[in-house]
Amino acid sequence: MSVQENVTAVLARVEAAARRAGRRPEEITLAAATKTQTSDAIRAAIAAGIRVCGENRVQEMTAHLADNAYQGAALHFIGRLQTNKVKQVVGRADLIQSVDSLHLLEAVEKYAARLELVQDILLEVNIAGEQSKGGLPPEEILPLALQCAELPHIRLRGLMCIPPAPPPGGSSRKFFSQTRQLFVDIRQKMSDNNRQVDCLSMGMSGDFEEAVEEGATLIRVGTALFGPRPPLAG
Ligand SMILES: *Cc1c(COP(=O)(O)O)cnc(C)c1O
């Protein structure tokens, strides 16, 4: 299957899932998770209609930017971000989806201030409380969201989550539903700012239909668009 055929097939599944849930398909953005892909593969995805690319690694992102590979699409950073690499991402990524500590938030604020820009971010929630994973515990989301409102160079756009891989035959639905509830809570509590809190990023190749049914506005899909990645590619 070509990337074009895969994009068409994924969009058809998104549309069907949206209709099942009584949602409009236009509410959902398909982001291509481009880790390990070549600049040419990224260009082919954009030519096939992809309008958002999500990168995990600063080094790959920097190389693709130098190649102009993302032209025609927005660029999101979706991987773990170390504070010492913030300068390579702030102002380059349209949205940093993976802010998962106060320390990182403050580093983004500081560098965005230096560049005199406002950086769009999502807070990443560790919705299943997994030890090994990034993301904030659910109870820390609201306090940090309120803190974002005090930072002049940060614009909080919503939440991102990566639930644990379910056991065979299992489902991530309850984690998607819990993340959506948190999203609704912060929208309510950030009253003045809630019009800009509009992004709920959840769902990958194996579970994006459930995520759409549970309210995702952005899904991050790699394998279902590009095929399997080499092992250990993260
Ligand atoms: C790799 C990755 C994805 C996409 O995973 P697939 O299962 O290949 O669709 C989505 N989100 C993040 C944060 C990723 O690292």
Side-chain angles (χ1 to χ4, degrees), residues 80 126 129-135 164:
R80 260 190 136 159
N126 186 341
E130 291 172 282
Q131 294 274 314
S132 61
K133 260 200 196 150

Side-chain angles (χ1 to χ4, degrees), residues 182-193:
L182 267 178
F183 176 69
V184 170
D185 285 351
I186 65 169
R187 275 169 67 105
Q188 273 168 2
K189 298 205 171 103
M190 296 182 73
S191 47
D192 287 348
N193 293 303

Side-chain angles (χ1 to χ4, degrees), residues 3-4 7 40-51 53 69 71-73:
V3 172
Q4 175 73 69
V7 168
D40 280 343
I42 293 169
R43 287 190 194 97
I46 295 169
I50 290 295
R51 288 296 165 263
C53 293
Q71 192 148 14

